[in-house]
Amino acid sequence: MKCIRPRRALVVDEQKGLVAMFPLFIHDGTRRNAAPGTPPGMLQNLVTMEVFAIRGGKIHQVEVFPFVTLPYGLGNGWTPGSGR
């Protein structure tokens, strides 16, 4: 995975200690420690919904819901420049 963009919370519920976000995972096909000539891995972007439970200032639990897979290079649709 090349990077995750954007890294901002969209919804914060302080009373329940929940944070929700829609990050874009960018998979650029690179593989760590791959031999020369190895074909690339996944070339795609994936938008998910994630909800974090915060207790005592630390992440206590994470729920991730797969949302949509996009062709590599496309952004998430609402953040300029998020695709690469």
Side-chain angles (χ1 to χ4, degrees), residues 1 3 12 20 36 44 52 58 64 66 69 74 78 81:
M1 186 177 321
C3 61
V12 177
Q44 66 181 10
F52 300 88
K58 296 182 180 180
V64 179
T69 301
L74 284 181
W78 55 84

Side-chain angles (χ1 to χ4, degrees), residues 38-61:
T38 302
M42 294 187 299
L43 283 168
Q44 66 181 10
N45 292 354
L46 174 70
V47 178
T48 64
M49 178 184 176
E50 298 184 352
V51 178
F52 300 88
I54 310 294
R55 306 286 185 264
K58 296 182 180 180
I59 296 175
H60 178 70
Q61 185 176 352

Side-chain angles (χ1 to χ4, degrees), residues 7-23 49-55 58-65:
R7 290 181 179 254
R8 66 173 185 265
L10 295 178
V11 178
V12 177
D13 186 333
E14 292 183 8
Q15 287 182 333
K16 293 184 179 180
L18 299 174
V19 176
M21 56 193 312
F22 290 93
M49 178 184 176
E50 298 184 352
V51 178
F52 300 88
I54 310 294
R55 306 286 185 264
K58 296 182 180 180
I59 296 175
H60 178 70
Q61 185 176 352
V62 179
E63 293 288 335
V64 179
F65 309 94

